Amino acid sequence: NALTVIEQTVNAAGGIRGRAIKFVVQDDQSNPAVGVQLLNGVLAKKVPFVLGSTLGATCGAMTPLLKYGPVEYCFSPSISPAPGGYVYSAGVGAGDLVAAMAQYLRERGLKKIAVLTSTDTTGQDADRAIDNAMAAPENSSLSIVSRDHFNPTDVSIAGQMTHIAGAGADVLIAWTTGTPFATVLRGVRDSGLDIPVVTTNGNMSYAQMRQYKNNMPKELLFPGLPSFGPDKLPNGKLKNAVNRFLTAFKATGIQPENGENQVWDPTLIMLDEVKKYGFEVTPVQVRDYINNLHDWTGIYGTFDFH
């Protein structure tokens, strides 16, 4: 959706250097092996950059092929690209999301925390972020009273929920995305657990929430994004960027979700670089352009790669 809206918006304004743009989208089927196969085909075409994939595991599998370029802008924040390389990650990483969430819980007085994470890349990333947040001096009043894991393919987490229900937690951090989160919500419902549930912004999907409405807890919290609360933003560059984003989608009748948010800024950054260098831009020029980007404001905030 985001690529379609960007394509339409850019072309309606005259394209780039007088030429219309067209995104070529290939489906990796959320499968790292397929992603690697598709990337090998793209590399043979000597392209300067690749947008995606959308999952951290797939981006991680693609990274070893990109030691000498082209640039890959992964649409997931769950990877940690090496400095100086050709790989970048989009969105806000789990470390910053969890740090903000910990402050919210602390100020609200929700101090006894149960943690439930999936065993995939998303859950492992969250586990590290939670450990770092709990080690911060300002969070000394918070404590983890239970910690459980589950496999994303599990259809039941009854054992984990029994453990969590008996731990006396004030709040449950349930960090996983997509279908496994439906398993979590069913587990919360079936166990009768009646405490706030916090999850990743990766689940901020209207379609997903409508699908899970019968299993919703009384209170479901997300560490959110600026575009979901534009009226809360102060006047300035960030609010202007968010309003442009929302206006572009409104014209198409599409209601943007978390996925559209994560795609938007990286794609516009890459297009700005094409505007500067032209369509014959090299992978080195792309990398250097991003690394020297300063005071570029998108819908997540101001980017400064220094």
Side-chain angles (χ1 to χ4, degrees):
N1 286 340
L3 293 175
T4 298
V5 172
I6 290 173
E7 188 177 284
Q8 292 173 352
T9 303
V10 170
N11 290 339
I16 295 177
R17 295 192 168 207
R19 293 172 59 181
I21 63 166
K22 174 69 178 175
F23 293 108
V24 178
V25 181
Q26 301 187 63
D27 181 11
D28 62 25
Q29 302 168 38
S30 299
N31 183 319
V34 175
V36 168
Q37 181 181 358
L38 292 174
L39 179 61
N40 275 314
V42 170
L43 294 179
K45 299 178 181 179
K46 307 294 184 183
V47 300
F49 63 84
V50 178
L51 296 166
S53 179
T54 57
L55 297 180
T58 305
C59 291
M62 293 162 64
T63 295
L65 301 178
L66 301 162
K67 186 176 181 180
Y68 303 106
V71 166
E72 177 203 12
Y73 215 135
C74 175
F75 290 147
S76 169
S78 64
I79 64 169
S80 298
Y86 287 88
V87 179
Y88 297 83
S89 63
V92 179
D96 291 314
L97 294 173
V98 171
M101 177 197 67
Q103 179 181 344
Y104 172 83
L105 298 179
R106 187 179 73 240
E107 293 181 358
R108 187 170 158 182
L110 301 174
K111 298 181 179 180
K112 294 187 289 184
I113 302 170
V115 176
L116 177 63
T117 54
S118 49
T119 55
D120 57 5
T121 302
T122 298
Q124 294 169 19
D125 193 33
D127 279 333
R128 290 189 293 270
I130 291 168
D131 286 341
N132 289 336
M134 296 302 291
E138 64 268 22
N139 292 326
S140 60
S141 62
L142 304 179
S143 62
I144 296 178
V145 296
S146 71
R147 193 159 199 164
D148 293 272
H149 300 85
F150 72 103
N151 192 297
T153 60
D154 290 345
V155 295
S156 172
I157 54 169
Q160 292 92 326
M161 293 311 304
T162 297
H163 183 226
I164 291 168
D170 298 323
V171 61
L172 169 64
I173 299 176
W175 208 273
T176 189
T177 56
T179 302
F181 187 57
T183 304
V184 171
L185 293 180
R186 285 195 302 271
V188 171
R189 180 201 63 189
D190 294 345
S191 69
L193 194 66
D194 187 20
I195 58 176
V197 177
V198 181
T199 189
T200 166
N201 63 308
N203 292 312
M204 294 185 81
S205 162
Y206 296 106
Q208 187 178 339
M209 292 300 100
R210 284 192 290 268
Q211 184 180 350
Y212 301 162
K213 65 180 181 180
N214 293 330
N215 295 323
M216 280 292 164
K218 186 179 297 183
E219 186 173 2
L220 179 61
L221 301 168
F222 303 93
L225 308 172
S227 70
F228 285 89
D231 56 321
K232 305 287 196 300
L233 302 175
N235 291 331
K237 292 193 292 185
L238 173 60
K239 186 168 187 174
N240 293 340
V242 166
N243 285 336
R244 286 193 298 270
F245 168 76
L246 295 175
T247 298
F249 274 92
K250 188 175 182 180
T252 66
I254 297 171
Q255 191 171 25
E257 304 180 344
N258 180 72
E260 285 85 352
N261 276 262
Q262 289 194 174
V263 169
W264 191 261
D265 285 344
T267 303
L268 292 185
I269 287 172
M270 302 303 259
L271 293 183
D272 280 354
E273 152 265 312
V274 175
K275 292 175 186 176
K276 179 176 180 178
Y277 290 108
F279 289 95
E280 302 305 317
V281 62
T282 68
V284 172
Q285 286 175 319
V286 175
R287 182 193 61 185
D288 290 349
Y289 177 83
I290 296 173
N291 288 349
N292 288 290
L293 204 62
H294 175 71
D295 199 27
W296 189 97
T297 300
I299 61 172
Y300 274 80
T302 298
F303 290 69
D304 189 336
F305 285 83
H306 290 283

